Amino acid sequence: QVQLVESGGGLVQPGGSLRLSCAASGSIFSIGAMGWYRQAPGKQRELVATISSVGSTNYADSVKGRFTISRDNANNTMYLQMFNLKPEDTAVYYCNANARLTWYSAFKDYWGRGTQVTVSS
């Protein structure tokens, strides 16, 4: 199976920055689109940003201009660089990858366990 492990979360003050990483490992044939999602304790999970296998990106309006998603296909790693963090960015951030295990397998969604981002003064 595909394992996704997020890292880089933590506690920062408003206006601060963090860089999240998502490392994919396991029996991976290929990874298509990847994305970052987040969920606050009392809210639904929401899309933050996505990136295609060739680098096309999309962002939620709430983070556009502040966050940058990127990926390193050679190392099966995805990043989320976050600037000017706001209290409303506080959430558990989850890595998502659309991947297949063999050439004949269908693409499926895989999820990491999440990393906590807390923005507070």
Side-chain angles (χ1 to χ4, degrees):
Q1 62 176 307
V2 177
Q3 304 286 339
L4 301 176
V5 180
E6 303 95 336
S7 61
L11 174 64
V12 297
Q13 295 183 348
S17 302
L18 281 175
R19 190 193 194 202
L20 305 183
S21 298
C22 171
S25 62
S27 183
I28 303 171
F29 180 75
S30 64
I31 300 177
M34 302 182 75
W36 288 98
Y37 294 73
R38 67 187 183 187
Q39 186 172 23
K43 301 177 66 177
Q44 295 182 343
R45 185 174 301 184
E46 64 176 351
L47 185 147
V48 177
T50 61
I51 184 167
S52 76
S53 61
V54 295
S56 298
T57 60
N58 288 282
Y59 298 90
D61 289 341
S62 59
V63 307
K64 200 167 188 176
R66 299 188 297 120
F67 292 7
T68 300
I69 188 172
S70 62
R71 64 191 289 172
D72 180 352
N73 290 333
N75 293 299
N76 286 335
T77 304
M78 178 179 64
Y79 305 95
L80 185 68
Q81 179 66 63
M82 305 183 292
F83 294 105
N84 191 25
L85 284 161
K86 305 176 183 297
E88 50 263 43
D89 295 319
T90 296
V92 176
Y93 283 69
Y94 295 93
C95 173
N96 169 263
N98 193 233
R100 57 179 175 173
L101 305 182
T102 69
W103 67 268
Y104 56 84
S105 300
F107 280 90
K108 296 181 179 180
D109 278 338
Y110 296 87
W111 293 89
R113 293 161 294 180
T115 184
Q116 178 70 50
V117 172
T118 302
V119 185
S120 176
S121 59

